[in-house]
Amino acid sequence: MGCLISQLASKFAFFPPSPATYAVKKCNGGKLSAVSTAGSTPLPIGGDCNGSPSPSLDVLLLDTKRGNKIVAFYLRNPCARLTVLYSHGNAADLGQLFDLFVQLKANLRVNLMGYDYSGYGASTGKPSESNTYADIEAVYECLQTDYGVSQEDLILYGQSVGSGPTLHLAAKLPRLRGVVLHSAILSGLRVVCRVKFTFCCDIYKNEKKIRKVKCPVLVIHGTEDSVVNWFHGNGLWKMAKDPYEPLWVKGGGHCNLELYPDYIRHLCKFIQEMENITTATRLRKIRQNLHLNKKSKSCNKIAIKTCCRIKCCRIKFRRPKFPECLKPSCTKCCCRPKCPEWQCRCPKWQCRGPESPCKCMECRCKCLECWRPGCLKCLC
């Protein structure tokens, strides 16, 4: 029943442009090229079949594990150190986003891979949540095998619905360089109604997956977004393990954040910092997180001891008082007795209290007076 409801939700969640704004054709050399069909006359995208194709654009046709063929654009930048995998929004395809890809490639100095979901553009199949997961996995596998891009040099970028497959893949890659969430959603159902619970029929449960992302996460959201409310981005930013300084675009809507100067400025700053992060820096961050976790655990232990010292806790330990120190229910006395009769008074033993313990084991063993039930120091 949950799967059927999820399929119905997918039908209302995806709105691919119809007809597609581009078409894929084969050149004479067998290389693929894309032609824009948005205008009255077809125009080549990034090159043409009659002349020499553009060396900075690769048009790819990838097979997914669900049997679909999806189209991907790989834009190459010779000065790039990192690669961005871009998952676009709902009502768009690669033909509409090509100009934006060119600007991002040049301004951010990155290689950029964009792709169309199943049922979008020239990709085959039908759009659904599970298909988008298979789509981004196929694109990531292509980046690894064909272009040699490792997860350490990869930044995932998810816009709107694209935040779903982005966080799905990011949760599986522990050594990812970074994640950008642009007008992202907490879940599909939360876009329609502001609920506080996660239902089985919900799609793109990003509020759960972002807790598994270990790399820095940049959240970009418009304060006047009427499609996906600002509380989606704010909620994801608060749930991230390693949140980066967010960008709340004042007056920004859902589809116009690229027009604001702060958008590209903040994004460039994030990319530059991700480039400067070395392996040693990342390991230092991991160690700091582990140290904080250990510190929090030790604080919990101290809090439990304090609870036992001040008043009765859940296990009903009670503060010992002599001569009731050796009762089985008294664990405080066994750990650290404080009764006045605890100190040994044998003249042969040099101990005058817990601050100056005797280091002579022979003296301890020969002293018979110290072996009395009230003296736990001797027993230890």
Side-chain angles (χ1 to χ4, degrees), residues 22 60 62 64 70-75 84-89 92-95 97 101 112-118 120-123 129 131-140 142-143 156-159 161-169 204:
Y22 71 98
L60 308 169
L62 307 176
T64 70
I70 60 172
V71 181
F73 288 177
Y74 182 79
L75 287 79
V84 173
L85 176 52
Y86 194 104
S87 301
H88 61 71
D93 61 11
L94 294 179
L97 295 170
F101 288 170
L112 194 143
M113 173 75 90
Y115 66 101
D116 264 339
Y117 312 122
S118 299
Y120 279 71
S123 300
E129 180 187 11
N131 278 342
T132 57
Y133 294 158
D135 297 340
I136 195 171
E137 290 173 0
V139 176
Y140 173 66
C142 173
L143 285 174
L156 299 184
Y157 191 113
Q159 179 188 10
V161 172
S163 60
T166 294
L167 290 176
H168 167 78
L169 183 61
Y204 294 134

Side-chain angles (χ1 to χ4, degrees), residues 7 17 19 23 47 51 65 67 73 81 95 116 120 123 136 146 167 172 178 187 189 196 202 270 277 300 363 365:
Q7 291 177 3
K65 63 182 180 182
F73 288 177
R81 295 174 56 188
D116 264 339
Y120 279 71
S123 300
I136 195 171
D146 296 349
L167 290 176
K172 295 183 176 182
S187 71
L189 190 59
K196 296 183 179 180
D202 205 352
F270 175 74
I277 289 180
N300 291 337
C363 177
C365 296

Side-chain angles (χ1 to χ4, degrees), residues 52-119:
S52 59
S54 173
S56 62
L57 172 65
D58 293 342
V59 180
L60 308 169
L61 198 60
L62 307 176
D63 295 320
T64 70
K65 63 182 180 182
R66 295 180 63 87
N68 299 323
K69 290 185 177 293
I70 60 172
V71 181
F73 288 177
Y74 182 79
L75 287 79
R76 190 180 290 104
N77 189 331
C79 303
R81 295 174 56 188
L82 301 177
T83 301
V84 173
L85 176 52
Y86 194 104
S87 301
H88 61 71
N90 196 351
D93 61 11
L94 294 179
Q96 297 172 333
L97 295 170
F98 180 74
D99 293 337
L100 174 64
F101 288 170
V102 173
Q103 293 178 9
L104 291 178
K105 179 197 75 169
N107 293 328
L108 303 180
R109 293 183 305 172
V110 295
N111 300 317
L112 194 143
M113 173 75 90
Y115 66 101
D116 264 339
Y117 312 122
S118 299

